[in-house]
Amino acid sequence: MKGVLSVYKYFDYIKIIGVWISGISLIGMMLFIVYDVFLRNIVENSINGGFEIVQNYFMPIVVFPSLAYVYSSGVLPKMDMLIERFKNKTKMFIIIGMVLIEIFVLILMTQFSLEYALNGLEREIAFPAAGTLYPLYPIFFFVPIAFGLIIVENIFILIRNLIEKQPSFLFKGEDKK
Amino acid sequence: MSSFVVIVIILTMLVLFLVSGLYIHSVLFASGVIGLILLEGFSILPGLLGNEPFNRVAGYTLTTIPLFVLMAQFILQSDIVKDIFYIVNRASRGKNSVLGILTLMIGGVLGAVSGSGTATAASLGQVAIPELRRHGYSAPLSGAIAAAGGSLSGIIPPSIILILYGVATETPVGQLFIGAIIPGILVMIVFILVMLVYFKVDKNEVEIDDEVASTEEQSDYKVSVLRLSAAGTVSLLIMLIIFGGIYSGIFTPTEAGAVGAFAGLLAALVLGKINSTFIKKSVVETIKLTGMVMLIMIGAQIFGRFVSLSLLPRKIIALLEPIMDTPALVLVIISAILFIMFMFIEGAAVILMSIPVLLPIITELQVDLLWFGVFVGIICTIGLITPPVGLSVYAVAGVSKIRLEPIFRIGMVFAVAVLVVVCGLMISFPEIATFLPDSMDS
Amino acid sequence: SDSEETVTDQDGDGEDGDGEAVEVIELRAATGLSSQHAWWSDNMVPWMDRVEELTDGQVQFETFSGGELVAVPDEADAVLNGTIDVGLILPIYQPDQYPMAEVTMLPLAHSDAHIGSNAWQALLTSDVELEDGKTYSEMQFDQFKVFPISTTQEYSISTTGKEFDSASDVEGTSLRTPSRIHEMYSETIGVNSVTMPAVEMFDALSRGSFDGSYYSIADWSGYGFEELFKYTVTDINFGHFNAFIGTTQEKWDEFPENVQEAMTQANEEIFSPGAQEWIDRSEEAIAQNKEDGGQFVEFTSLDQEVQDLFNEGIEKTWLDYAEILEEQGLPGNELIVLWRDIIIEQGGDVPDSLKNIE
Ligand code: NA
Ligand code: NA
């Protein structure tokens, strides 16, 4: 487990970088919209293409880069009334089963969103705003990267449950409520 | 495979996944993807799933979710709301029930500046739950109050749900907003009444704890008059900026999210609260909550694609044909079906998948589209606090670490009360929703 | 999604012969627009109904509207990747993929829903070779089998009260711009452009966030604008939004001949009534708007200075649009000449200065 832990540490760094990117985008989005409102009211001219830029650039960058961090933070909801009643051994089997389903779905999502991004790259998909075309396809790549990182997280969770005695949906174990 | 068999398989699978403790977003992802494979084969997946995550997230109105949460974070980290609760507590000396009423009313007021029930519930959860707990409310009841108070944003205008409905049915959004005012207030009143009953029952059980908590609170939380008046002024100013800004046309309800967050940041600056921990904590909490909501929305969307393709809603509604000459009965049945759909599926997804099916029926029944929009909006709003998919409750549980199930148990009672009382009143007296917009017309 | 059910060719006029079973062709059709939108309710739905009727149920449609299955503007992609069989396609929303589709949005001196629609149809079926021996449709929509449907009614400028009494009134007016062409046009006449989702507009406009919008009157009711706008300039035209019903060329080739004929015939039958619907809707909106105190001002009654400003803007926008296309290596100059000729041929008009371009 020690070796796994030290590898996971590096993975944590990657997730933190994602949080930084999302966080900067969040603050940026706030300032951008405020500035747009300010311009429209003072100069009577908004940032050209402002809302398209917010929805196509800021929003996805607020959400996707930090998704793996969000996943491992334990904030994601689930119904746990039944599983809590099982013994550790049964619990472990259920958790491993669920993690495998999770990985299966995530692989599909990663693959399809990657295909979509590559297709977008090929067609140079762009969005029109204020008479100009802004490239959109680079943002598409955040999606498969986000899902891919969550697969890695799940592989760590799988390994953890095979090694540790106390089964858990999270790599670092769950908070006691 | 016949779509009926697929529907049965997938719904069974969904329940199994849910009770096995799979994450909610994964339950929706997995059931949706497997359902699509059974229904259409593997080849339909790439075209349907590849663009979904991006498209779902890249929406301008959705910026209200992170930005109103960020505003709440800034305000919370500056202890402003805490101080307000302190003032209110002093004012309502000994009458702890007032605090619950006040929380729900603050939920209503926040609803008037927020379009999303989830965002408000999360903010309210962070601010109000610790205070409610200190004043003798049980953990589940505090959670339910915050979740219900937050859910009010779903119906009290501005409302993302009403915007979605307006777009889907081409009903003027402004009129929908006006029509939702009275029913929205009714929902709040029902929440308050049910809460009072719960509080009375709870109080008899935890009398002693209550007194200990109160004394403790009195001794360790003291605030200077200067600080209180600063906090009071700042919070009033923020309210004024948001309300004044929206209603004078300086910014739209969506933009109010950004302006509100910015005002919160300035307030924290004035109160001398800003440091790196303040920023870091506010931003990370916001990102966590936003990520959670978006992940579920993406899952719901994919599950919704399956539901659409299986024609499930149409099959249910085809069964209604024989009773079309009794509109009230059809409406009762429709509200029951919607209530159940909103229990299991994220609100916007339900609206998007059911409106194309419901609309012909509503038109045939000669029911007013505006009225129906408000009606659906209310059922959607209470869907935010019903199990197993209740985003308001998830948001509250996420920020407060209170367990989901007990909150849901109370949330369900809140929801059923609203369904019976408010929806019942609306069917009996449609003017509740149409009176205000009609009087504006002339 | 072709199913294995069968029906009989009951009136016995089909090639499949009397009483013989023919395979049912089940097609999935979708739009991201609401089910009330005239392009769906008064163009695509009647088309599908008529096709079902003409083929005696051999073709059946399973329909999805309001973004239930596919959102605007993903219909084209959904048709191409097989998610749906038939889609209501709005190419103007994807200028990165269909840069020449916006040509119908170019401002004109005169036209109406019928002229715009007929011109759009003529453009799609035009055999004029624009580049490398390719026609307009071959250059833009070669992957699709295109069934042209009506364009919208012409776009107008409406404000919540601001009037254009002199050229200086136009300068600095802020209008919402729904397309790239309108952005370009606004810039040339000194109008500030506001970009905002249509659903946010009612709120922002009713609270005075900006002055007005380019919009088609027939579309007002969708967002309640007939109560909001107080001043509309008529008889000048800010383009027609276009659309078509599309399936893939591949799928089209697989349809039996009688089905192809039915689809073509149905398309011809619904085309004009579809355009008329916009005019009816706009008349209704105008009546309602007048009742609510809105005024309609003829372009030719405006101050000459204002007229000149607007007209010069029209010319410059045409040339700018052609230049953008040329920069992308597309035949922009040929395209605007073709469009001008078609517009005039169909009974519309352009400012005089554009009549000389070649
Ligand atoms: Na609200
Ligand atoms: Na629910």
Side-chain angles (χ1 to χ4, degrees), chain B residues 383-400:
Chain B
L384 288 169
I385 53 172
T386 55
V389 180
L391 293 193
S392 274
V393 174
Y394 291 162
V396 165
V399 296
S400 68

Side-chain angles (χ1 to χ4, degrees), chain B residues 61-72 75 81 104-121 123-124 149-160 163 177 181 188 235-248 251-264, chain C residues 200 203 207:
Chain B
T61 43
L62 292 178
T63 59
T64 48
I65 296 177
L67 291 173
F68 272 115
V69 174
L70 186 63
M71 172 182 88
I75 292 174
V81 181
L104 285 166
M105 287 174 73
I106 289 179
V109 172
L110 285 175
V113 292
S114 164
S116 147
T118 318
T120 325
S123 330
L124 214 52
S151 74
L152 287 170
S153 298
I155 187 67
I156 289 178
S159 145
I160 290 171
I163 291 176
F177 282 1
I181 292 175
M188 187 177 79
S235 53
L236 268 178
L237 265 177
I238 293 178
M239 282 297 183
L240 211 73
I241 289 170
I242 293 174
F243 276 109
I246 292 178
Y247 290 101
S248 67
F251 42 79
T252 68
T254 302
E255 292 166 341
V259 178
F262 190 65
Chain C
E200 294 241 308
D203 239 44
R207 290 166 176 152

Side-chain angles (χ1 to χ4, degrees), chain A residues 40-41 55 66 77-78 102, chain B residues 21 24 26 60 250 255 287 404:
Chain A
R40 192 177 59 225
N41 285 285
Q55 85 174 13
S66 55
K78 58 181 183 291
E102 186 101 27
Chain B
I24 304 286
S26 305
Y60 189 69
I250 294 172
E255 292 166 341
I287 281 171
L404 283 173

